[in-house]
Amino acid sequence: MTTADLSAEGGGSRVRAATSRASTHQWISWIALAMMTTSSVASLRAAPTMAVYGLACVFLYLLPAIVFLLPTSLVSAELASGWEGGIYKWVSEGLSKPMGFLAVWCQFAMTIFYYPSLLGFVASTLAYVFNPALASSGVWTAAVIIVVYWSGVWVSARGTKGVAGLASGGLIIGTLVPGVVLVLLGVVFLGQGNESAAPMTSDHLLPAWAGLSSLVLIVNNFLSYSGMEMNAVHVGSLKNPAKEFPKAMFLAMGLVLTIFILPALAIAWIVPAEELSLTAGVMQAFDAVFANFGWQWLTPIVGIMLVTASLGGMLTWLAGPSKGLLLISRQEGYLPPFLQKLNKNGVQQNILVVQGLVTTVIGLAYALIPDVSSAYWIFSVITTQVYLIMYLLMFVAAVQLRRKEPDHPRGYRAPMLVGLCGVGFAASLAALLVGFIPPSQFASGSSGVYFLIVGGGALGLGLLVPFLFYRFRKPSWKQPQPEEVVES
């Protein structure tokens, strides 16, 4: 795709551009892009988190979709269609190279806390295959996190091919099928005359207000919607990005909201909020509804389906963010040579091992924190806050690039870019700050300890560590780029 093609405007020039690109470019439909986006965002993992709000979960999903998901999608599409190289290139061009390093670091660093929270869900789900009582065991959760993560590192380090296919299959096996079953059985559960565990009347459309802490759980939805900047790279594969990309995003938003909201409501119908586990809530709902029909033998089968999907996603993404960080660090010398070494399969094994050591320490926290749900929530918040730092930089960079390089060729121009960035920046900053407040559901415990854990994890990992790497970098840290490490 040439620069002239991307900048072409008007009917005739668009036709000529499409013609010149057709021979070397494989187009995708906007519906296909919507499906790809849905598969990378939608998940049942967050359903228990929102089910505690009952009917109000509809509002709590819609709000971040409007103020975060939509701006992120449209803004990243403009950046991806004008500048190749991902978040580092966008922020480096718009702000500076150090800020670009900070952005790509945060994209990588969020996975350090993301995998313990994801595998915490896997551990609680897997418990229903063997013994549901294990779902509340911190020792069981820690053991599963450590064993499964290091197994994933071993698989990734061998450069195994075809693992990515597990993610697409996981959408059907571990998300769509269980989600549809849960919702349908939930409807039947209510149709049999059973009373909903959560009130479903119009006066419960908004969450009960008990100060800022009553809205803290909405922060988790920002993580649920994150990753849109990765899907934006496909905007150049649309024949008419200006018209087709917005349609793809609105369809994806509708599908994602459906997958998020309906299972959360089904759980709210079946499991009382005070009994919900944030890690095992999905399995609690399945177990309860299957018990109602005498089908509890299906519970372990659903558990295996959910675990399979989660593990497929973990393996697919395990080496991805660290590969991007490695590429930039070799070019600019941001990481010491030890962390830049590749194994014989061309995989950044040392980065994965160091990440694994940190993940092991975090995983052990599940055994030390009495409430597994609290540990899961804390790690989810830290993950979200580190990622939000990257989004703050992206929104500022997008405005700067539009101002500094208004004529730079772009395949797609986001409407009202400054307004979109303003809304997205404000929402991201608000979510980041609110994350420091303990949620009302966890009133017990010390607020000070919660603040120190979340603040230390998010600011330490998201800001202090990359600052130290940048501050003590050396010219000798720059390494020649190997052919194996190619950013797709």
Side-chain angles (χ1 to χ4, degrees):
M1 187 179 299
T2 67
T3 300
D5 294 333
L6 286 171
S7 61
E9 297 181 2
S13 59
R14 279 197 299 270
V15 171
R16 289 192 298 273
T19 302
S20 65
R21 288 179 291 175
S23 60
T24 59
H25 205 96
Q26 184 174 0
W27 305 110
I28 62 173
S29 70
W30 65 271
I31 295 179
L33 179 57
M35 294 299 106
M36 292 167 60
T37 302
T38 302
S39 67
S40 65
V41 175
S43 170
L44 296 180
R45 191 165 64 93
T49 306
M50 289 297 110
V52 299
Y53 279 104
L55 189 59
C57 74
V58 177
F59 167 79
L60 295 176
Y61 270 123
L62 283 174
L63 181 62
I66 294 171
V67 301
F68 179 74
L69 177 60
L70 187 59
T72 299
S73 303
L74 300 183
V75 170
S76 60
E78 172 168 326
L79 294 173
S81 68
W83 291 267
E84 295 183 356
I87 189 68
Y88 175 78
K89 182 71 171 180
W90 307 341
V91 177
S92 295
E93 293 282 336
L95 300 176
S96 65
K97 284 189 175 182
M99 290 296 100
F101 171 61
L102 175 60
V104 77
W105 169 266
C106 288
Q107 192 177 59
F108 158 75
M110 61 81 68
T111 64
I112 294 177
F113 287 96
Y114 171 73
Y115 289 120
S117 63
L118 170 66
L119 295 178
F121 168 77
V122 168
S124 295
T125 303
L126 199 58
Y128 277 79
V129 178
F130 302 107
N131 179 6
L134 292 172
S136 58
S137 169
V139 174
W140 162 262
T141 304
V144 171
I145 290 173
I146 293 170
V147 171
V148 174
Y149 182 84
W150 283 106
S151 298
V153 170
W154 180 78
V155 172
S156 297
R158 292 170 64 87
T160 303
K161 304 293 185 182
V163 172
L166 292 173
S168 57
L171 174 68
I172 298 174
I173 297 172
T175 301
L176 293 183
V177 172
V180 169
V181 170
L182 180 61
V183 173
L184 290 178
L185 292 182
V187 171
V188 174
F189 176 81
L190 295 180
Q192 290 180 329
N194 295 298
E195 185 177 351
S196 172
M200 290 289 131
T201 55
S202 59
D203 55 337
H204 290 86
L205 279 171
L206 297 178
W209 181 253
L212 286 176
S213 61
S214 63
L215 289 179
V216 171
L217 282 178
I218 198 173
V219 173
N220 203 47
N221 286 350
F222 282 76
L223 178 61
S224 299
Y225 291 135
S226 62
M228 292 302 299
E229 78 285 353
M230 298 180 186
N231 293 286
V233 299
H234 301 294
V235 67
S237 297
L238 297 171
K239 287 188 176 181
N240 189 346
K243 291 183 178 180
E244 293 182 335
F245 188 80
K247 289 198 296 184
M249 288 304 102
F250 280 113
L251 176 58
M253 279 180 60
L255 293 173
V256 168
L257 286 171
T258 300
I259 293 172
F260 278 152
I261 291 173
L262 293 184
L265 286 176
I267 293 174
W269 297 335
I270 300 166
V271 184
E274 61 273 13
E275 298 178 11
L276 262 176
S277 162
L278 298 190
T279 53
V282 174
M283 294 307 299
Q284 283 180 319
F286 274 113
D287 197 48
V289 76
F290 285 152
N292 183 69
F293 294 96
W295 299 344
Q296 278 186 294
W297 58 271
L298 285 173
T299 301
I301 296 176
V302 171
I304 292 172
M305 293 169 67
L306 293 172
V307 167
T308 300
S310 296
L311 294 182
M314 186 199 81
L315 289 174
T316 302
W317 287 100
L318 186 60
S322 59
K323 191 171 185 178
L325 177 65
L326 175 74
L327 177 69
I328 302 307
S329 297
R330 280 180 167 267
Q331 293 173 350
E332 304 293 338
Y334 290 135
L335 294 180
F338 171 77
L339 293 177
Q340 297 183 32
K341 288 184 178 179
L342 304 177
N343 65 11
K344 63 181 180 180
N345 297 308
V347 176
Q348 56 282 9
Q349 182 172 297
N350 287 0
I351 292 181
L352 294 178
V353 169
V354 172
Q355 181 180 357
L357 294 174
V358 178
T359 300
T360 299
V361 173
I362 296 171
L364 290 174
Y366 274 95
L368 302 176
I369 298 177
D371 185 359
V372 171
S373 285
S374 295
Y376 173 84
W377 171 251
I378 288 171
F379 296 140
S380 294
V381 169
I382 293 174
T383 299
T384 305
Q385 288 181 307
V386 171
Y387 214 0
L388 286 172
I389 294 173
M390 185 209 74
Y391 283 113
L392 292 174
L393 294 171
M394 186 188 80
F395 287 125
V396 175
V399 173
Q400 288 295 99
L401 286 171
R402 179 70 75 89
R403 288 175 177 171
K404 293 193 303 184
E405 302 183 44
D407 299 323
H408 183 89
R410 296 165 172 85
Y412 171 78
R413 284 181 175 266
M416 300 180 294
L417 178 85
V418 175
L420 284 173
C421 289
V423 171
F425 184 93
S428 300
L429 181 61
L432 192 152
L433 296 177
V434 169
F436 288 105
I437 304 171
S440 55
Q441 283 75 6
F442 301 134
S444 60
S446 170
S447 297
V449 171
Y450 178 91
F451 179 85
L452 288 175
I453 294 175
V454 172
L459 301 182
L461 184 66
L463 296 177
L464 179 60
V465 173
F467 169 78
L468 293 176
F469 275 128
Y470 185 81
R471 173 67 177 81
F472 295 104
R473 72 191 188 287
K474 299 178 181 178
S476 60
W477 287 6
K478 291 186 179 182
Q479 302 286 329
Q481 186 61 35
E483 293 184 1
E484 292 90 345
V485 183
V486 179
E487 189 175 47
S488 57

PDB file of all heavy atoms in Angstrom, residues 293-305:
ATOM      1  N   PHE A 293     -31.828 -28.406  37.026  1.00  0.00           N
ATOM      2  CA  PHE A 293     -32.343 -29.343  36.026  1.00  0.00           C
ATOM      3  C   PHE A 293     -31.836 -30.777  36.246  1.00  0.00           C
ATOM      4  O   PHE A 293     -32.151 -31.668  35.452  1.00  0.00           O
ATOM      5  CB  PHE A 293     -31.941 -28.887  34.617  1.00  0.00           C
ATOM      6  CG  PHE A 293     -32.580 -27.598  34.179  1.00  0.00           C
ATOM      7  CD1 PHE A 293     -31.896 -26.396  34.317  1.00  0.00           C
ATOM      8  CD2 PHE A 293     -33.866 -27.580  33.664  1.00  0.00           C
ATOM      9  CE1 PHE A 293     -32.486 -25.197  33.924  1.00  0.00           C
ATOM     10  CE2 PHE A 293     -34.459 -26.395  33.272  1.00  0.00           C
ATOM     11  CZ  PHE A 293     -33.769 -25.194  33.401  1.00  0.00           C
ATOM     12  N   GLY A 294     -31.023 -30.968  37.291  1.00  0.00           N
ATOM     13  CA  GLY A 294     -30.464 -32.295  37.532  1.00  0.00           C
ATOM     14  C   GLY A 294     -29.366 -32.656  36.562  1.00  0.00           C
ATOM     15  O   GLY A 294     -29.122 -33.841  36.279  1.00  0.00           O
ATOM     16  N   TRP A 295     -28.675 -31.625  36.041  1.00  0.00           N
ATOM     17  CA  TRP A 295     -27.638 -31.842  35.030  1.00  0.00           C
ATOM     18  C   TRP A 295     -26.243 -31.482  35.551  1.00  0.00           C
ATOM     19  O   TRP A 295     -25.384 -31.062  34.780  1.00  0.00           O
ATOM     20  CB  TRP A 295     -27.906 -30.991  33.782  1.00  0.00           C
ATOM     21  CG  TRP A 295     -29.191 -31.282  33.077  1.00  0.00           C
ATOM     22  CD1 TRP A 295     -29.991 -32.376  33.226  1.00  0.00           C
ATOM     23  CD2 TRP A 295     -29.814 -30.443  32.094  1.00  0.00           C
ATOM     24  NE1 TRP A 295     -31.086 -32.283  32.410  1.00  0.00           N
ATOM     25  CE2 TRP A 295     -31.003 -31.110  31.688  1.00  0.00           C
ATOM     26  CE3 TRP A 295     -29.497 -29.219  31.514  1.00  0.00           C
ATOM     27  CZ2 TRP A 295     -31.867 -30.582  30.746  1.00  0.00           C
ATOM     28  CZ3 TRP A 295     -30.355 -28.700  30.567  1.00  0.00           C
ATOM     29  CH2 TRP A 295     -31.533 -29.366  30.180  1.00  0.00           C
ATOM     30  N   GLN A 296     -26.000 -31.646  36.823  1.00  0.00           N
ATOM     31  CA  GLN A 296     -24.708 -31.196  37.367  1.00  0.00           C
ATOM     32  C   GLN A 296     -23.515 -31.925  36.775  1.00  0.00           C
ATOM     33  O   GLN A 296     -22.378 -31.449  36.877  1.00  0.00           O
ATOM     34  CB  GLN A 296     -24.708 -31.334  38.895  1.00  0.00           C
ATOM     35  CG  GLN A 296     -25.394 -30.161  39.593  1.00  0.00           C
ATOM     36  CD  GLN A 296     -25.258 -30.224  41.095  1.00  0.00           C
ATOM     37  OE1 GLN A 296     -25.794 -31.108  41.741  1.00  0.00           O
ATOM     38  NE2 GLN A 296     -24.522 -29.268  41.669  1.00  0.00           N
ATOM     39  N   TRP A 297     -23.763 -33.051  36.129  1.00  0.00           N
ATOM     40  CA  TRP A 297     -22.656 -33.760  35.477  1.00  0.00           C
ATOM     41  C   TRP A 297     -22.066 -32.944  34.333  1.00  0.00           C
ATOM     42  O   TRP A 297     -20.949 -33.210  33.870  1.00  0.00           O
ATOM     43  CB  TRP A 297     -23.144 -35.108  34.961  1.00  0.00           C
ATOM     44  CG  TRP A 297     -24.293 -35.024  33.983  1.00  0.00           C
ATOM     45  CD1 TRP A 297     -25.617 -35.012  34.279  1.00  0.00           C
ATOM     46  CD2 TRP A 297     -24.200 -34.932  32.555  1.00  0.00           C
ATOM     47  NE1 TRP A 297     -26.379 -34.911  33.132  1.00  0.00           N
ATOM     48  CE2 TRP A 297     -25.531 -34.870  32.055  1.00  0.00           C
ATOM     49  CE3 TRP A 297     -23.140 -34.903  31.649  1.00  0.00           C
ATOM     50  CZ2 TRP A 297     -25.816 -34.771  30.703  1.00  0.00           C
ATOM     51  CZ3 TRP A 297     -23.416 -34.818  30.295  1.00  0.00           C
ATOM     52  CH2 TRP A 297     -24.739 -34.753  29.833  1.00  0.00           C
ATOM     53  N   LEU A 298     -22.827 -31.925  33.859  1.00  0.00           N
ATOM     54  CA  LEU A 298     -22.324 -31.064  32.789  1.00  0.00           C
ATOM     55  C   LEU A 298     -21.354 -29.992  33.290  1.00  0.00           C
ATOM     56  O   LEU A 298     -20.617 -29.406  32.503  1.00  0.00           O
ATOM     57  CB  LEU A 298     -23.496 -30.381  32.076  1.00  0.00           C
ATOM     58  CG  LEU A 298     -24.338 -31.241  31.126  1.00  0.00           C
ATOM     59  CD1 LEU A 298     -25.559 -30.467  30.646  1.00  0.00           C
ATOM     60  CD2 LEU A 298     -23.495 -31.698  29.942  1.00  0.00           C
ATOM     61  N   THR A 299     -21.375 -29.723  34.598  1.00  0.00           N
ATOM     62  CA  THR A 299     -20.535 -28.647  35.137  1.00  0.00           C
ATOM     63  C   THR A 299     -19.052 -28.831  34.826  1.00  0.00           C
ATOM     64  O   THR A 299     -18.394 -27.900  34.340  1.00  0.00           O
ATOM     65  CB  THR A 299     -20.748 -28.508  36.658  1.00  0.00           C
ATOM     66  OG1 THR A 299     -22.134 -28.233  36.919  1.00  0.00           O
ATOM     67  CG2 THR A 299     -19.900 -27.376  37.221  1.00  0.00           C
ATOM     68  N   PRO A 300     -18.471 -30.020  35.063  1.00  0.00           N
ATOM     69  CA  PRO A 300     -17.046 -30.189  34.720  1.00  0.00           C
ATOM     70  C   PRO A 300     -16.760 -30.019  33.232  1.00  0.00           C
ATOM     71  O   PRO A 300     -15.698 -29.516  32.859  1.00  0.00           O
ATOM     72  CB  PRO A 300     -16.741 -31.617  35.184  1.00  0.00           C
ATOM     73  CG  PRO A 300     -17.787 -31.932  36.199  1.00  0.00           C
ATOM     74  CD  PRO A 300     -19.016 -31.219  35.726  1.00  0.00           C
ATOM     75  N   ILE A 301     -17.713 -30.420  32.382  1.00  0.00           N
ATOM     76  CA  ILE A 301     -17.507 -30.291  30.936  1.00  0.00           C
ATOM     77  C   ILE A 301     -17.419 -28.824  30.541  1.00  0.00           C
ATOM     78  O   ILE A 301     -16.529 -28.416  29.773  1.00  0.00           O
ATOM     79  CB  ILE A 301     -18.647 -30.988  30.164  1.00  0.00           C
ATOM     80  CG1 ILE A 301     -18.627 -32.496  30.459  1.00  0.00           C
ATOM     81  CG2 ILE A 301     -18.526 -30.730  28.665  1.00  0.00           C
ATOM     82  CD1 ILE A 301     -19.777 -33.258  29.831  1.00  0.00           C
ATOM     83  N   VAL A 302     -18.326 -28.003  31.083  1.00  0.00           N
ATOM     84  CA  VAL A 302     -18.286 -26.565  30.807  1.00  0.00           C
ATOM     85  C   VAL A 302     -16.989 -25.972  31.358  1.00  0.00           C
ATOM     86  O   VAL A 302     -16.369 -25.107  30.724  1.00  0.00           O
ATOM     87  CB  VAL A 302     -19.512 -25.858  31.415  1.00  0.00           C
ATOM     88  CG1 VAL A 302     -19.363 -24.343  31.315  1.00  0.00           C
ATOM     89  CG2 VAL A 302     -20.779 -26.311  30.711  1.00  0.00           C
ATOM     90  N   GLY A 303     -16.571 -26.441  32.525  1.00  0.00           N
ATOM     91  CA  GLY A 303     -15.322 -25.953  33.106  1.00  0.00           C
ATOM     92  C   GLY A 303     -14.134 -26.215  32.199  1.00  0.00           C
ATOM     93  O   GLY A 303     -13.282 -25.341  31.997  1.00  0.00           O
ATOM     94  N   ILE A 304     -14.079 -27.407  31.608  1.00  0.00           N
ATOM     95  CA  ILE A 304     -12.991 -27.745  30.689  1.00  0.00           C
ATOM     96  C   ILE A 304     -13.042 -26.846  29.449  1.00  0.00           C
ATOM     97  O   ILE A 304     -12.008 -26.394  28.945  1.00  0.00           O
ATOM     98  CB  ILE A 304     -13.069 -29.230  30.289  1.00  0.00           C
ATOM     99  CG1 ILE A 304     -12.761 -30.113  31.505  1.00  0.00           C
ATOM    100  CG2 ILE A 304     -12.102 -29.539  29.155  1.00  0.00           C
ATOM    101  CD1 ILE A 304     -12.985 -31.594  31.273  1.00  0.00           C
ATOM    102  N   MET A 305     -14.250 -26.558  28.952  1.00  0.00           N
ATOM    103  CA  MET A 305     -14.402 -25.681  27.783  1.00  0.00           C
ATOM    104  C   MET A 305     -13.865 -24.282  28.082  1.00  0.00           C
ATOM    105  O   MET A 305     -13.129 -23.692  27.281  1.00  0.00           O
ATOM    106  CB  MET A 305     -15.866 -25.610  27.368  1.00  0.00           C
ATOM    107  CG  MET A 305     -16.429 -26.916  26.827  1.00  0.00           C
ATOM    108  SD  MET A 305     -18.234 -26.894  26.632  1.00  0.00           S
ATOM    109  CE  MET A 305     -18.401 -25.695  25.308  1.00  0.00           C
TER     110      MET A 305
END
